[in-house]
Amino acid sequence: MPDATGLELLAGGLRDKLPDAVLGTLHFRGKGTLLIDPRHIRATLQHLREQEGWTFLASVHGVDYYPEEPRLGVHYELLSMARQDRLTVKIRVHTEAPTVESVTPDWPTADHQEREVYDMFGVVFEGHPDLRRILMPEDYQGHPQRRDFPIGGEPVLFTHDESSNPGWTR
């Protein structure tokens, strides 16, 4: 990871290009993190790729910071092959308006990862080419990875195999 000084230089260059984008930086245990305003995520990632050499989007993850607000987070893990280094870019959105611009048009590898964050946490990625559930059935209610999601007691529904279940009755 960039050391603390390198991270501040990176954030400074980003602030010059996108003045309102960087909300903060964090350097912890050798790992650098940029905290970004969600309105600027796509432009930020474009800048980091084109100007700073972070050319590989390794992963996109959802996070629930319950009970804090903004509650929902999306983490983008970038790699620089030239530096042999990684960088985390984080955004946070409120549950009332969990919307962020999709980065899939620029980073095709984000396609299924954004769908998973949408499915499990309910973050809506505007501009995504095929935003629909990927792990849960299309008619499923709720987002199972949110921390306030009920644990246990939900009926398990199977489709097209009801008659093969031992306890099945009509």
Side-chain angles (χ1 to χ4, degrees):
M1 275 296 125
D3 61 13
T5 304
L7 184 62
E8 285 303 321
L9 288 172
L10 184 65
L14 194 52
R15 285 182 180 111
D16 291 343
K17 174 88 172 166
L18 302 163
D20 299 329
V22 180
L23 301 177
T25 62
L26 175 66
H27 191 268
F28 182 67
R29 294 187 179 177
K31 185 166 182 166
T33 302
L34 293 173
L35 309 171
I36 302 296
D37 185 314
R39 296 172 299 162
H40 301 288
I41 189 59
R42 188 169 173 193
T44 296
L45 293 181
Q46 286 174 341
H47 173 79
L48 291 172
R49 179 179 58 202
E50 295 166 7
Q51 304 300 320
E52 304 293 341
W54 301 95
T55 57
F56 183 71
L57 179 63
S59 64
V60 179
H61 300 286
V63 179
D64 186 349
Y65 290 101
Y66 179 82
E68 296 176 25
E69 282 293 339
R71 179 174 158 184
L72 301 175
V74 182
H75 296 185
Y76 303 84
E77 296 289 332
L78 298 173
L79 299 178
S80 169
M81 301 304 183
R83 293 182 179 129
Q84 296 183 6
D85 212 349
R86 62 182 60 231
L87 175 70
T88 302
V89 178
K90 295 182 181 181
I91 61 170
R92 299 215 12 208
V93 294
H94 290 276
T95 53
E96 299 83 38
T99 303
V100 64
E101 188 175 7
S102 174
V103 300
T104 298
D106 304 319
W107 305 83
T109 189
D111 183 358
H112 285 75
Q113 296 173 69
E114 286 183 349
R115 285 181 58 193
E116 183 177 351
V117 173
Y118 165 72
D119 195 1
M120 296 289 108
F121 294 93
V123 176
V124 176
F125 293 90
E126 288 183 339
H128 189 281
D130 187 23
L131 192 62
R132 59 189 166 98
R133 289 195 180 267
I134 191 168
L135 299 171
M136 304 304 290
E138 283 292 326
D139 60 348
Y140 191 82
Q141 298 295 314
H143 305 284
Q145 291 294 308
R146 285 192 180 183
R147 288 187 167 197
D148 60 353
F149 192 80
I151 299 175
E154 305 91 28
V156 178
L157 302 176
F158 297 95
T159 55
H160 309 293
D161 67 345
E162 293 89 355
S163 60
S164 65
N165 290 330
W168 182 75
T169 60
R170 269 196 188 215

